[in-house]
Amino acid sequence: MTVRVVVVGGGWAGTGAAVAAAQAGAEVILLERTDMLLGTGLVGGIMRNNGRFTATEEAIAMGLGDIFHVVDLCARHRNVDFPGHRHATLYDVCKIEPAIRNLLLKKGIQVHTQSRVKDVEMEGKTIRAVVLDSGEKIAGDAFVDTTGSAGPMGNCTKYGNGCAMCILRCATFGGRVSIAARAGVKEYAGRRADGAVGAMSGSCKLHKDSLAPEIVAQLNEKGVVVIPVPPHLRKGSDILAKKACQQYALAEFAENIILLDTGHAKLMAPTYPLSLLRQIPGFENARYEDPYAGGVGNSIRYLAISPRDNAMKVDGVENLFCAGEKAGPMVGHTEAIITGALAGHNAVRLALGLELLEIPPSLATGDYISYVNEQVRNNREGLAQKYTFSGSIYFRRMQEKGLYTTDVAAIRDRVEEAGMSNIFGRRLVPGSRAF
Ligand SMILES: Cc1cc2nc3c(=O)[nH]c(=O)nc-3n(C[C@H](O)[C@H](O)[C@H](O)COP(=O)(O)OP(=O)(O)OC[C@H]3O[C@@H](n4cnc5c(N)ncnc54)[C@H](O)[C@@H]3O)c2cc1C
């Protein structure tokens, strides 16, 4: 018996979906519009900070260990503390993509880059195939939309400061196309605190060789550098309200330059005018590595979110699932991997006629998925929030509910008690080969 799952969008959510569907025994085709996997994950790198540690260990206990093992192998620093954040792992953004691509290939996933989906073929409320820019049709039993929520370029002009030339490279590969929207789903957008549409991405990358040697030495050794900014060179606290990453919307991030070593020097600010930055000692020759116009702006995200249930099925389409930023105002690689895995696993269940899986709320990962849904469906203010295990509103909830812990044995026990041990590692398709 064969089940074919087509995952559209090769970011961290698409990676989680493809791995879980393959581990469940499906034939998996992953379609990515650019020439590299991992989307915004190509310029991120922060893992395991605050509640993401707990979520990561839950995910490993649920059968996603291979993904996080690769992340750990690509780590430049472990157990890093920076303002408001503890025990972070920082992966090397220059090493992670080939490592993840190899993992997917080893799992038998058919990875197609430079394969942008432009449309869908429907039969009633069921998607039969997706259509690539080339006109080629890819049929499947179930589909996962992990196309993210950023771009195309016109949106960064409309809601931001113009195209900042970010890693998504819309000008070269064509903009994001939402599969759910092509299937007729009415999507919604996240909001900023002032009601404006979308949110500006929260960090830039500086070329390390453009910084003073003592800054680079400290970054390489400790993974983090905090440099106080003289008051006349601060950008003002209004910038904090614009950020997608509300977990970093703390005064320390306005009063200091905070750099993290992810291979590049990750500057924890959405944008910083080069003329101001270069007045700070050590930054006289600074230049941006990502986005190229980081001194002017950054990508705008959370522009196209699909209504979905807690099994990650998109409302109104029989065989479409979603995950990552497509599935709510959710921020983060860890968040994308876990929601992706649930979507990919359930795509296989749907194709086999099995009951769809929800992660129980006794686990942080399950509580997160249902809480975000509840907030955006029933609460207008919910759309102005961003949800992540690593800070802000959801990390507070995790702590209040006693869901945050770094005790790995206790996390494993909790997963076991919930009946979820290795759930994403179990084969569902009869006769399929094991990975
Ligand atoms: C600058 C920046 C820094 C960040 N830093 C961190 C960090 O340090 N730690 C952290 O946890 N989070 C970080 N984040 C947030 C995190 O990267 C995202 O929330 C998460 O990775 C989103 O994953 P995703 O797969 O949902 O979406 P995306 O990463 O946006 O991936 C979507 C993918 O779909 C592809 N795609 C779109 N349309 C189509 C189509 N029609 N056909 C085929 N492919 C398509 C895109 O090319 C892209 O590869 C950062 C985000 C940004 C922008």
Side-chain angles (χ1 to χ4, degrees):
M1 180 175 193
T2 313
V3 165
R4 192 190 236 206
V5 174
V6 180
V7 180
V8 185
W12 274 121
T15 298
V19 165
Q23 289 182 170
E27 176 194 352
V28 183
I29 299 179
L30 176 60
L31 303 169
E32 163 55 40
R33 54 177 260 286
T34 73
D35 55 357
M36 283 192 279
L37 297 174
L38 294 189
T40 56
L42 287 165
V43 289
I46 310 174
M47 308 283 283
R48 288 185 184 259
N49 47 330
N50 293 346
R52 282 181 183 152
F53 186 99
T54 315
T56 297
E57 291 298 335
E58 282 187 8
I60 292 170
M62 286 192 284
L64 300 175
D66 290 348
I67 298 179
F68 290 100
H69 179 62
V70 169
V71 171
D72 285 341
L73 285 178
C74 293
R76 289 181 69 85
H77 302 275
R78 291 189 177 80
N79 219 3
V80 174
D81 293 345
F82 57 97
H85 293 259
R86 301 205 48 213
H87 48 69
T89 294
L90 305 177
Y91 68 66
D92 191 324
V93 293
C94 305
K95 295 197 174 141
I96 191 80
E97 196 269 348
I100 285 292
R101 185 189 286 248
N102 284 338
L103 173 72
L104 299 190
L105 295 176
K106 260 195 222 147
K107 288 193 178 281
I109 294 159
Q110 299 167 47
V111 176
H112 298 278
T113 48
Q114 291 186 245
S115 298
R116 188 176 79 137
V117 171
K118 66 170 180 188
D119 211 347
V120 296
E121 269 194 5
M122 306 280 296
E123 197 176 297
K125 295 194 166 183
T126 301
I127 301 177
R128 289 293 170 219
V130 290
V131 185
L132 303 185
D133 276 339
S134 64
E136 189 186 345
K137 292 177 186 169
I138 313 270
D141 299 306
F143 295 79
V144 185
D145 183 344
T146 44
T147 53
S149 67
M153 282 159 70
N155 277 333
C156 291
T157 302
K158 193 168 169 191
Y159 302 115
N161 301 343
C163 170
M165 284 170 273
C166 78
I167 192 68
L168 293 175
R169 298 165 293 158
C170 302
T172 307
F173 297 105
R176 170 185 54 81
V177 175
S178 165
I179 307 316
R182 297 307 303 158
V185 174
K186 192 170 170 352
E187 296 189 298
Y188 62 93
R191 300 269 162 184
R192 289 172 237 189
D194 63 2
V197 170
M200 191 176 275
S201 295
S203 74
C204 302
K205 268 58 55 188
L206 296 170
H207 202 298
K208 265 197 205 171
D209 287 348
S210 71
L211 305 178
E214 56 277 15
I215 294 179
V216 179
Q218 200 185 328
L219 258 185
N220 287 343
E221 190 195 329
K222 300 207 158 79
V224 55
V225 175
V226 179
I227 298 170
V229 178
H232 68 287
L233 295 179
R234 288 181 196 159
K235 292 174 294 138
S237 56
D238 64 314
I239 198 74
L240 298 176
K242 289 188 187 159
K243 291 179 65 140
C245 314
Q246 288 170 358
Q247 69 272 31
Y248 308 121
L250 309 170
E252 287 99 321
F253 288 79
E255 290 161 11
N256 299 286
I257 291 280
I258 299 181
L259 297 178
L260 299 176
D261 178 24
T262 57
H264 300 309
K266 184 175 168 95
L267 169 64
M268 301 300 286
T271 168
Y272 212 107
L274 204 54
S275 55
L276 279 188
L277 190 62
R278 285 186 168 180
Q279 292 177 53
I280 300 170
F283 292 81
E284 293 85 351
N285 303 316
R287 72 171 265 188
Y288 283 96
E289 183 66 29
D290 168 79
Y292 272 126
V296 175
N298 212 321
S299 51
I300 302 292
R301 314 214 309 279
Y302 302 100
L303 296 168
I305 304 173
S306 289
R308 50 95 182 160
D309 62 19
N310 294 335
M312 310 311 295
K313 197 179 91 54
V314 174
D315 292 354
V317 183
E318 296 298 332
N319 62 343
L320 181 63
F321 294 81
C322 67
E325 292 188 5
K326 171 59 66 189
M330 305 194 278
V331 185
H333 312 329
T334 314
E335 293 76 354
I337 294 167
I338 291 165
T339 54
L342 183 59
H345 180 84
N346 274 333
V348 181
R349 282 183 176 258
L350 183 104
L352 292 171
L354 300 174
E355 194 186 335
L356 299 186
L357 177 79
E358 292 185 12
I359 303 178
S362 57
L363 301 185
T365 44
D367 181 63
Y368 172 76
I369 288 169
S370 56
Y371 178 70
V372 174
N373 217 10
E374 189 189 300
Q375 291 298 298
V376 297
R377 282 186 187 268
N378 305 329
N379 173 2
R380 276 175 63 82
E381 283 163 21
L383 287 177
Q385 298 287 346
K386 300 290 172 295
Y387 302 86
T388 159
F389 300 111
S390 70
S392 187
I393 178 173
Y394 188 73
F395 183 46
R396 281 198 294 278
R397 176 179 164 94
M398 253 179 112
Q399 289 168 298
E400 281 159 17
K401 292 190 69 127
L403 290 168
Y404 167 60
T405 171
T406 55
D407 180 338
V408 175
I411 296 168
R412 279 193 205 132
D413 287 348
R414 191 197 278 175
V415 171
E416 178 79 43
E417 270 165 37
M420 298 292 283
S421 289
N422 198 35
I423 191 87
F424 297 126
R426 292 185 208 160
R427 258 188 315 153
L428 299 173
V429 181
S432 57
R433 98 186 150 96
F435 293 101

